[in-house]
Amino acid sequence: MTFGPGLRATLVCGILAASFLGVAGQPVENIFEDVTDSAGIQWRHFNGESSDRFLIEAAAGGVAFVDFDSDGLLDLFFVNGGETPKGKSSAPVRHGLYRNLGNGRFEDVTGKAGVATTPFYGMGVAAADYDNDGFQDLYVTGYPASALFHNNGDGTFHNVTQISGVENAGKWAASAAWFDYDRDGYLDLFVCNYAELSFNDPKRCEYEGKPTYCAQKAYPGQASVLYHNQRDGTFKDVSVQAGIHQLVGRAFGVVSIDFNNDGWPDLYVARDASPNLLLLNQKNGTFRDAAIEAEVAYNPDGLALAGMGVDAGDVNGDGWPDVIVTNFNDEYHSLYLNREHFPFEDGTPRSGLARFTKSYVGWGVRFFDYDNDGDLDVLIITGHINQMIELTRKDVTYQEPPLLLENDGHGIFRDVSTEAGPAFRSRYSGRGLAIGDFDNDGASDAVFVRLGERPVLWRNTKGQSNTWIGFELQGTVSNRDAIGARLSLSSRGRTMIRWVTGGSSFLSSQDKRIVFGLGRTSAPDSLSVEIRWPSGRVQTISGLAPNRYHRIAEPSTNHTQLPSAVKP
């Protein structure tokens, strides 16, 4: 099935049609336009900040692009934090579910949908169809528990945490990833557990007599958990059998992708002052941590960095997934290039990432082609945790600007933040980031949570100027979301590889559709794509029109098909 690029003209008012000069004399484009107000999003994050300075106050705030009502339009789900013993809210602390009305506006349906509250301090969200019924479910992480909301298919959700077995009781859960590690066609769940925490035991740290957040090492790490989908609505903790339970550390971010191209999904876990993990799927229900062998556990000096957000994708066009990890200021954010064998190459200095990120604390991060020129660019959401930092540093601020890094196609980045318009001149206490095309125009939009404030929704006004083609996959033998699928598209002598990943960024959930940017030159009248489904089936489809999303269902056997076989 194909459907058009959607409404554009009615989405926002006052879109600037011409460039204007920036403060440095550079041409400035409104690459992203802040449409939070015009979209009608009034939800506000609450983090329970108090003089106790619990570290969780500084790290919360996830968001999901998720089509919860299956109407073809991406909706928004925001995860709220919660109260602490001395940090009370004047109003009930509520999550936020906003339904996309298709005209640039969103409707708050949180109460109607039954997802307003959870009896714990909220952190992040992972959205996916875990029971293959055609509707997206929500897993909300937090402390000292997490919750699973099953989508009823009628605009409402039912809390099935207790019967499903994924409460993660007593743990401080951060990011989570849905992925089918045993390829049985049902999504399993990996949950990043961060550290031991008790609201009865505040850590006391001060700067010049004022309370401040203690370093993460004051909080002992925890082991993450792997839940196997039993295919009957319940899950089983298989962390011991899988070899996950002994990997204790402060896990913050996770992405699932097939790093070694063997057809089985692997995991990369970003951890805070703990060595990062590269968990290779052994195809027998177990994982092997190859991070040290791959030289992606520590920095070149042998130090475990303050890993927060993570994503994976092919940044240099060689067909293998690379990894980006956001870290603390002065540590530089990390780029690891996959060279088909170990070790990975540290691309941080050569890519320019070290130069651009030295002064920033990074959280949400995502590879995506913002201008649809065919190369994966990077958006990084930043914000310091220590309000006292400006008393000691002139080059580091508490609120920080986001970073938009343009890829030259070879994994070398150029910071285009200052050229991108007013949206990138503001400073934020940013945390979770999600990327998705909420107006179906082929240009990927962005949304991120601000600590203790309203979120920010950006509409991409650049990407639709180039040719593109998009894909929405539906598994039949594979999991319905096709998480783990690998897509290969060739155009004008160039082959691009993209994956439907699980997890990624920080505390957030992404648009599962895949968009290939084809650049400024006119694309062929028809294109072909090869899909390797999570089940292992390979499908080639030809005769596909550009500037459209194509909905493709997994075939029962390996075969090539023409566009007439793409079912509406």
Side-chain angles (χ1 to χ4, degrees), residues 202-276:
K203 312 295 182 184
R204 303 295 185 186
C205 293
E206 295 183 346
Y207 178 78
E208 294 187 349
K210 296 181 179 180
T212 188
Y213 293 106
C214 294
Q216 70 279 77
K217 293 182 180 179
Y219 295 82
Q222 294 181 321
S224 295
V225 62
L226 178 63
Y227 292 106
H228 178 254
N229 191 332
Q230 302 287 88
R231 297 183 286 181
D232 60 359
T234 68
F235 292 77
K236 180 182 179 181
D237 184 343
V238 294
S239 306
V240 174
Q241 299 94 309
I244 303 294
H245 71 292
Q246 81 276 17
L247 301 173
V248 176
R250 303 170 198 87
F252 251 158
V254 58
V255 63
S256 174
I257 201 169
D258 182 6
F259 284 106
N260 54 7
N261 199 30
D262 65 355
W264 292 74
D266 310 304
L267 296 165
Y268 189 96
V269 183
R271 305 203 298 181
D272 188 7
S274 306
N276 296 329

Side-chain angles (χ1 to χ4, degrees), residues 316-328:
N316 53 6
D318 64 358
W320 292 80
D322 312 300
V323 180
I324 188 169
V325 183
T326 56
N327 299 309
F328 216 71

Side-chain angles (χ1 to χ4, degrees), residues 518-542:
L518 302 173
R520 293 183 179 179
T521 58
S522 58
D525 292 336
S526 66
L527 296 157
S528 64
V529 64
E530 180 187 272
I531 304 168
R532 187 178 71 188
W533 294 87
S535 64
R537 286 178 169 82
V538 178
Q539 179 182 16
T540 301
I541 303 174
S542 301

Side-chain angles (χ1 to χ4, degrees), residues 358-393:
K358 181 180 186 297
S359 299
Y360 301 113
V361 177
W363 300 90
V365 59
R366 185 68 171 163
F367 286 130
F368 75 117
D369 187 1
Y370 82 87
D371 53 359
N372 280 336
D373 66 351
D375 307 317
L376 289 180
D377 311 301
V378 179
L379 179 61
I380 301 173
I381 300 302
T382 63
H384 213 280
I385 70 169
N386 187 353
Q387 297 179 2
M388 303 294 147
I389 189 64
E390 296 176 24
L391 300 178
T392 61
R393 296 283 294 269

Side-chain angles (χ1 to χ4, degrees), residues 36 55 57 73 82 85 111 120 128-129 165 189-190 221 223-224 247 256 271 329 332 350 359 390 451 483 500 513:
T36 314
L55 189 57
E57 301 168 6
L73 296 169
F120 52 81
D129 181 5
L189 181 64
F190 182 91
S224 295
L247 301 173
S256 174
R271 305 203 298 181
N329 62 272
Y332 318 113
R350 182 173 177 270
S359 299
E390 296 176 24
L451 194 68
I483 293 174
V500 182
R513 296 175 297 180

Side-chain angles (χ1 to χ4, degrees), residues 63 69 71 109 176 192 232 385 408 483 519:
V63 58
D69 53 0
D71 66 351
V109 296
C192 292
D232 60 359
I385 70 169
D408 70 351
I483 293 174

Side-chain angles (χ1 to χ4, degrees), residues 80-410:
N80 221 328
E83 295 183 328
T84 58
K86 296 180 182 177
K88 302 300 183 181
S89 175
S90 59
V93 180
R94 294 163 53 90
H95 307 306
L97 179 63
Y98 281 81
R99 180 174 178 265
N100 190 339
L101 300 179
N103 59 356
R105 298 281 300 176
F106 289 77
E107 175 191 9
D108 186 344
V109 296
T110 314
K112 185 190 308 182
V115 293
T117 62
T118 46
F120 52 81
Y121 191 108
M123 285 288 292
V125 57
D129 181 5
Y130 74 85
D131 56 353
N132 294 333
D133 66 354
F135 294 94
Q136 295 287 297
D137 310 298
L138 299 171
Y139 186 70
V140 180
T141 63
Y143 167 80
S146 298
L148 179 60
F149 289 97
H150 178 261
N151 192 328
N152 297 322
D154 60 359
T156 68
F157 291 80
H158 178 55
N159 191 327
V160 295
T161 308
Q162 295 301 321
I163 61 174
S164 66
V166 293
E167 185 181 13
N168 200 39
K171 306 294 185 181
W172 174 1
S175 300
W178 292 102
F179 75 127
D180 183 8
Y181 79 90
D182 57 352
R183 302 201 331 183
D184 67 352
Y186 283 76
L187 291 172
D188 310 298
L189 181 64
F190 182 91
V191 181
C192 292
N193 285 326
Y194 182 71
E196 296 179 12
L197 176 69
S198 172
F199 285 148
N200 295 320
D201 180 26
K203 312 295 182 184
R204 303 295 185 186
C205 293
E206 295 183 346
Y207 178 78
E208 294 187 349
K210 296 181 179 180
T212 188
Y213 293 106
C214 294
Q216 70 279 77
K217 293 182 180 179
Y219 295 82
Q222 294 181 321
S224 295
V225 62
L226 178 63
Y227 292 106
H228 178 254
N229 191 332
Q230 302 287 88
R231 297 183 286 181
D232 60 359
T234 68
F235 292 77
K236 180 182 179 181
D237 184 343
V238 294
S239 306
V240 174
Q241 299 94 309
I244 303 294
H245 71 292
Q246 81 276 17
L247 301 173
V248 176
R250 303 170 198 87
F252 251 158
V254 58
V255 63
S256 174
I257 201 169
D258 182 6
F259 284 106
N260 54 7
N261 199 30
D262 65 355
W264 292 74
D266 310 304
L267 296 165
Y268 189 96
V269 183
R271 305 203 298 181
D272 188 7
S274 306
N276 296 329
L277 305 175
L278 176 59
L279 301 177
L280 297 183
N281 194 326
Q282 301 301 289
K283 311 176 189 178
N284 59 2
T286 68
F287 290 82
R288 178 176 73 89
D289 180 18
I292 292 178
E293 180 185 353
E295 297 184 3
V296 296
Y298 304 92
N299 76 350
D301 296 324
L303 300 176
L305 302 180
M308 267 85 84
V310 61
D311 197 15
D314 180 14
V315 298
N316 53 6
D318 64 358
W320 292 80
D322 312 300
V323 180
I324 188 169
V325 183
T326 56
N327 299 309
F328 216 71
N329 62 272
D330 298 332
E331 294 184 340
Y332 318 113
H333 302 349
S334 305
L335 178 66
Y336 300 112
L337 300 176
N338 187 343
R339 295 304 191 187
E340 305 180 31
H341 53 74
F342 294 158
F344 281 38
E345 177 186 339
D346 184 1
T348 307
R350 182 173 177 270
S351 68
L353 205 61
R355 181 170 73 257
F356 300 138
T357 63
K358 181 180 186 297
S359 299
Y360 301 113
V361 177
W363 300 90
V365 59
R366 185 68 171 163
F367 286 130
F368 75 117
D369 187 1
Y370 82 87
D371 53 359
N372 280 336
D373 66 351
D375 307 317
L376 289 180
D377 311 301
V378 179
L379 179 61
I380 301 173
I381 300 302
T382 63
H384 213 280
I385 70 169
N386 187 353
Q387 297 179 2
M388 303 294 147
I389 189 64
E390 296 176 24
L391 300 178
T392 61
R393 296 283 294 269
K394 294 183 179 180
D395 60 327
V396 180
T397 59
Y398 175 61
Q399 292 191 325
E400 299 177 325
L403 296 174
L404 182 63
L405 306 180
E406 184 179 44
N407 188 355
D408 70 351
H410 304 285

